[in-house]
Amino acid sequence: MPDHDSTALLSRQTKRRRVDIGVKRTVGTASAFFAKARATFFSAMNPQGSEQDVEYSVVQHADGEKSNVLRKLLKRANSYEDAMMPFPGATIISQLLKNNMNKNGGTEPSFQASGLSSTGSEVHQEDVCSNSSRDSPQECLSPFGRPTMSQFDVDRLCDEHLRAKRARVENIIRGMSHSPSVTLRGNENEREIAPQSVSPRESYRENKRKQKLPQQQQQSFQQLVSARKEQKREERRQLKQQLEDMQKQLRQLQEKFYQIYDSTDSENDEDGNLSEDSMRSETMDARAGDSVGREDHPPDVAPPLQIPQARFAVNGENHNFHTANQRLQCFGDVIIPNPLDTFGSVPMPGATDQTEALPLVVRKNSSDQSASAPPAGAPPASPQRAPPESLDLTRETTSLRTKMSSHHMNHHPCSPAHPPSAAEGLSLSLIKSECGDLQDMSEISPYSGKKRFPLLIQSYMQEGLSPNHLKKAKLMFFYTRYPSSNMLKTYFSDVKFNRCITSQLIKWFSNFREFYYIQMEKYARQAINDGVTSTEELSITRDCELYRALNMHYNKANDFEVPERFLEVAQITLREFFNAIIAGKDVDPSWKKAIYKVICKLDSEVPEIFKSPNCLQELLHE
DNA sequence: CGGGGCCCTG
DNA sequence: CAGGGCCCCG
C-alpha cells in the first residue's frame, strides 16, 4: 500500500489522537458466508450423522424396539436398582424403585433390617400382594410373599408337641402385645433391640422361621437366593415395562408438541427472508455433503492419531485436526435430553411439579432479559438455583450434564425436577434489554425455528455470552487479533447473534488488542531503557516477562498451550514498537497506526476445534 | 448511515 | 471489561 492514503488519513487524525487502522477486515459474499456457516453448524450441531439418525433416536424407541435410548435408560434404572441409590428430585424411576423396595421390605426380613418397613406391615404385605396380583399374578409366587408356604413348612417340620406348646406361649405374648397399653412400649423395645420394627404377627412368623432354620438351612438359603434373583428379575421387568410406557408417552407428547410447533412456524415460513433460522435449517439439510467435502480437502491431512500431539500446538498445517471423530464427541448423546430439558412443559407422569418453570424462564428472558433473577414462577421443586459463579458453566454444564446423563447420571442430579442447564443459560443471559429489538426477538423465541433440528439447535443456542465464551475468545486471540464479525459468528455458533452480541464480541477483541499493544509498547520502551539497541536482541520466549504477562491475560489458567505463531507475531509487534520508538515516531499522535496495519495482517487461521461449542473441554481437559 | 476501530474513562 | 465519544470507510 502506498503511503499517500495513510498520510492523508494521518493529517486528518492529527486533530484528535486517533490511530484507526481503517482496514476493512471482512467480508466474503453472503453465499460464502452461508456455505461456511453450513459447515460450521453441521460440524458443531450434528457431528454424528444425518437428520434421519437424529430423528431415529428421538422416535424410534417408542415402537417397542430396544433402541439405544431405551437401553441407556434401562441401564440407568438398573444401576439405580443395584446401588439402591436414592435419587434427589424424586424421579419416576426412583419413585418406582422406592415403591418396589417398600413392597419387598414389607415381606422380606433383610429389607426390614434397613428400616424400610413399618408396623402393620402384615396388612401392608397382603395389600401389596393382592394388588399386585391383579397386575402380575406372579408377584405372589415369591416365597417371601407367600405366608402359607412358610407356615406349611413349619407345620410339616416341627414337632407337634413342641409346636403346640410354643403356640400357647406365643399366643399369650401376642395377646399382650396387641393390648393397646403395651403396643407403644413394645414397639419401642423392638426398635431398641432390633432395627426391624415388625408387627407382632410378623415377629411371630420370624420366630417360626428361625425355628426351622437349623433343619432347612441349606434349602432355605437356596430358596432365598433364587427367590431374590427372581424378585430382581421381576423388578427389572416391571421397570422395563414402566420405561417403555413412559417412552411411548414421551413420543406421543413429542409428536404433539411438534405438531403445535410446526403449525406455529409455518407462519414464519411465509416471510421468505434468509433469517438465521432458515439458514440454520438449510445448514442441516446440506451438512452431509459438507462433511464429505471436508474430508476430501487436502490444508485435512492430519490423521486422528495426531490429535494428541497436535492438541495444543496447532500451528501451520495442523489447523484442521478437529476431525469428524472429534466432532462426533461434541453432541454425541445430547439429542434426547434437550427437547425435554428446554421445553420442560412436556408433562411426565409422576413428575408434574417441574413442568411449569421452564417456559417462564424462556419468556422472561425474552422479555426483560434479566441477568440473574430467578424465574418469576419458579416452583419450589427447583430450589437449587445455580449460583452466579455457575455462569462459568452455562454451556459447559449443558454438555457435561448431558454426558453425565448418559454415562453416570448418579454423579449429577439431572432429574426433571432440576432446572435444566439450558434454561439456566437462558436465565443467565447477558443480553441487555435495549438489544432486544423486534428483529432479534424473533430469534430469541424458542418457537421461531423452521424445523425440528433448528429446534434442537436452538436448545443449545445461548442468548448471551458466558464467561466461557470470553475465555474461548481470549484463546482465539492467540490466533487472530482482528477477527471479522462473520468469523466470530462462525466460531461462536452456539450463540444467537444479534447486533449486541456482535458488538460485544468485537469489543472484547478490541479490549484484547488494547492490552496487547499496551504491553508491547511498555516492554519496547523498557527494552530501550535497558539499553537494547537492536531488534535482534528482542525475542519473545515462553519464559520471558512479556510472554508471561500476555499469557496471564489471555490464558490465565495456563491450561492452553500458546501456539508458536503467536510468539512470532508478538515478537514482530514488539520489534515494530521498538523500531518506531527508536526512530522517534512516537511523537506522532497516530504513530501506532502503522504498527496496527502490520499486525492486522498477521492473523492466522483459528483451528477448527474452536468452532465446536465444546472446544474448551476438548482443548483443556482431554 | 451503520459497522468497525481506537481512545479514554470508570 | 464495558460505555461512550469520535473517527473512517463502504
Side-chain angles (χ1 to χ4, degrees):
Chain A
M1 268 299 171
D3 273 342
H4 61 267
D5 83 302
S6 61
T7 49
L9 183 65
L10 190 148
S11 64
R12 264 174 289 172
Q13 285 176 336
T14 48
K15 296 173 187 172
R16 189 176 181 270
R17 294 179 189 171
R18 295 193 39 78
V19 282
D20 295 0
I21 58 174
V23 175
K24 184 66 179 178
R25 298 207 37 90
T26 1
V27 190
T29 63
S31 62
F33 167 55
F34 287 140
K36 200 169 183 182
R38 265 183 203 147
T40 306
F41 275 103
F42 167 59
S43 62
M45 304 313 299
N46 192 16
Q48 69 193 102
S50 67
E51 180 171 334
Q52 283 78 13
D53 290 338
V54 181
E55 190 151 14
Y56 184 93
S57 65
V58 174
V59 175
Q60 178 75 28
H61 56 75
D63 297 334
E65 298 194 20
K66 291 174 178 161
S67 70
N68 289 333
V69 175
L70 181 55
R71 272 198 287 270
K72 280 181 185 175
L73 287 169
L74 285 171
K75 198 174 167 189
R76 292 179 212 164
N78 287 338
S79 68
Y80 289 146
E81 179 188 12
D82 293 340
M84 301 234 179
M85 174 78 73
F87 193 59
T91 63
I92 303 160
I93 293 173
S94 68
Q95 281 291 79
L96 183 66
L97 286 167
K98 202 173 167 185
N99 288 341
N100 280 334
M101 287 171 68
N102 277 333
K103 281 183 196 174
N104 299 324
T107 55
E108 214 277 340
S110 67
F111 277 112
Q112 289 179 5
S114 63
L116 280 171
S117 72
S118 62
T119 56
S121 63
E122 179 79 357
V123 177
H124 176 69
Q125 165 204 334
E126 286 170 5
D127 285 350
V128 166
C129 185
S130 59
N131 282 341
S132 54
S133 65
R134 282 197 292 269
D135 297 327
S136 72
Q138 293 179 345
E139 177 84 2
C140 286
L141 289 181
S142 162
F144 307 111
R146 206 164 49 170
T148 51
M149 178 177 177
S150 59
Q151 205 124 26
F152 173 79
D153 291 343
V154 171
D155 290 346
R156 185 169 55 87
L157 293 169
C158 286
D159 176 76
E160 284 289 329
H161 181 69
L162 263 177
R163 192 169 60 90
K165 202 170 177 180
R166 194 174 196 91
R168 278 199 299 275
V169 175
E170 287 170 348
N171 255 335
I172 295 168
I173 297 171
R174 204 187 328 164
M176 287 172 66
S177 37
H178 267 302
S179 100
S181 58
V182 288
T183 298
L184 184 61
R185 199 178 52 183
N187 283 343
E188 283 172 350
N189 288 338
E190 279 173 9
R191 286 203 189 97
E192 286 173 10
I193 294 166
Q196 67 264 40
S197 60
V198 294
S199 74
R201 278 189 64 184
E202 192 67 20
S203 70
Y204 173 52
R205 192 178 300 135
E206 278 293 307
N207 286 338
K208 294 199 171 186
R209 282 193 195 127
K210 284 174 190 168
Q211 196 175 356
K212 75 174 180 181
L213 264 180
Q215 296 175 11
Q216 292 216 326
Q217 200 166 24
Q218 194 169 353
Q219 188 185 347
S220 295
F221 181 75
Q222 284 169 352
Q223 281 180 352
L224 186 96
V225 170
S226 63
R228 290 195 62 169
K229 280 183 184 172
E230 179 77 19
Q231 187 182 334
K232 289 238 171 197
R233 264 196 295 272
E234 177 64 17
E235 283 179 27
R236 288 207 176 103
R237 195 192 62 78
Q238 287 185 2
L239 276 173
K240 199 172 164 183
Q241 181 66 40
Q242 181 93 0
L243 278 166
E244 283 172 356
D245 292 346
M246 286 162 57
Q247 297 288 350
K248 276 182 189 173
Q249 290 186 35
L250 174 61
R251 185 186 63 121
Q252 290 169 356
L253 288 163
Q254 278 182 334
E255 284 179 358
K256 202 170 177 180
F257 173 78
Y258 285 135
Q259 280 174 6
I260 299 169
Y261 168 65
D262 285 339
S263 65
T264 308
D265 77 31
S266 66
E267 301 165 12
N268 298 337
D269 283 339
E270 295 170 5
D271 59 20
N273 289 331
L274 268 177
S275 68
E276 291 193 23
D277 287 330
S278 59
M279 189 190 73
R280 283 183 213 119
S281 307
E282 294 171 19
T283 300
M284 307 309 290
D285 293 336
R287 64 191 177 264
D290 281 357
S291 166
V292 171
R294 190 180 291 271
E295 296 300 321
D296 290 339
H297 209 282
D300 281 30
V301 283
L305 279 179
Q306 288 188 9
I307 289 170
Q309 296 93 325
R311 188 170 58 211
F312 296 133
V314 275
N315 304 302
E317 293 80 29
N318 286 336
H319 281 151
N320 294 327
F321 68 86
H322 188 215
T323 64
N325 278 343
Q326 276 189 309
R327 280 195 290 271
L328 201 142
Q329 300 173 5
C330 304
F331 286 86
D333 48 20
V334 300
I335 300 300
I336 290 301
N338 271 281
L340 273 180
D341 281 357
T342 307
F343 305 99
S345 57
V346 179
M348 296 279 281
T352 56
D353 53 345
Q354 82 286 357
T355 55
E356 307 111 46
L358 300 177
L360 288 176
V361 172
V362 174
R363 230 175 276 134
K364 180 175 181 62
N365 285 280
S366 303
S367 55
D368 69 20
Q369 308 292 341
S370 173
S372 59
S382 57
Q384 302 175 347
R385 278 210 59 81
E389 303 88 71
S390 73
L391 268 171
D392 248 346
L393 304 172
T394 44
R395 198 197 67 248
E396 259 60 24
T397 304
T398 304
S399 54
L400 264 183
R401 189 185 52 76
T402 47
K403 280 182 184 172
M404 296 262 195
S405 68
S406 296
H407 301 307
H408 28 79
M409 213 162 67
N410 51 329
H411 286 176
H412 190 114
C414 66
S415 77
H418 279 257
S421 55
E424 283 177 20
L426 298 181
S427 72
L428 295 169
S429 163
L430 299 177
I431 297 180
K432 299 188 170 178
S433 55
E434 58 264 30
C435 295
D437 60 14
L438 212 59
Q439 180 189 342
D440 299 331
M441 294 297 281
S442 68
E443 298 175 15
I444 289 172
S445 164
Y447 301 99
S448 62
K450 299 283 182 189
K451 296 177 182 176
R452 296 185 185 187
F453 300 106
L455 172 71
L456 295 181
I457 289 172
Q458 288 184 8
S459 304
Y460 273 94
M461 298 292 277
Q462 299 226 346
E463 294 171 15
L465 292 168
S466 71
N468 269 331
H469 289 122
L470 177 60
K471 187 173 182 178
K472 175 177 173 177
K474 283 180 170 179
L475 296 184
M476 284 174 64
F477 185 79
F478 287 127
Y479 300 92
T480 174
R481 270 62 59 185
Y482 290 86
S484 68
S485 58
N486 282 337
M487 179 184 175
L488 292 176
K489 284 173 183 168
T490 303
Y491 279 86
F492 291 86
S493 58
D494 60 331
V495 179
K496 290 180 184 173
F497 270 81
N498 53 41
R499 282 194 292 272
C500 198
I501 296 292
T502 307
S503 300
Q504 189 181 5
L505 267 172
I506 287 176
K507 180 68 178 179
W508 281 359
F509 278 86
S510 179
N511 286 331
F512 300 161
R513 284 192 298 272
E514 191 171 7
F515 179 84
Y516 176 80
Y517 287 130
I518 286 173
Q519 296 300 312
M520 291 300 167
E521 183 181 355
K522 178 178 155 187
Y523 280 90
R525 293 188 185 280
Q526 187 173 306
I528 294 171
N529 288 340
D530 291 345
V532 176
T533 56
S534 166
T535 58
E536 301 302 315
E537 303 173 46
L538 288 176
S539 66
I540 291 186
T541 60
R542 291 178 191 269
D543 54 358
C544 75
E545 201 179 343
L546 174 57
Y547 172 82
R548 282 200 220 109
L550 296 172
N551 191 57
M552 180 60 70
H553 191 71
Y554 307 114
N555 182 27
K556 199 163 197 164
N558 199 26
D559 47 8
F560 179 81
E561 186 176 325
V562 178
E564 197 68 27
R565 175 64 179 163
F566 179 75
L567 297 186
E568 298 171 15
V569 173
Q571 183 165 301
I572 294 171
T573 313
L574 181 64
R575 291 180 176 183
E576 287 287 329
F577 270 93
F578 178 87
N579 287 332
I581 296 170
I582 288 289
K585 291 180 180 174
D586 57 337
V587 296
D588 185 340
S590 61
W591 66 284
K592 294 177 184 174
K593 174 183 171 289
I595 300 176
Y596 297 155
K597 286 189 77 171
V598 171
I599 302 308
C600 75
K601 292 173 182 167
L602 300 181
D603 279 10
S604 49
E605 196 171 328
V606 180
E608 289 283 311
I609 192 175
F610 280 88
K611 292 178 179 174
S612 162
N614 288 333
C615 70
L616 282 185
Q617 289 174 336
E618 299 178 28
L619 283 168
L620 306 179
H621 302 305
E622 276 184 6

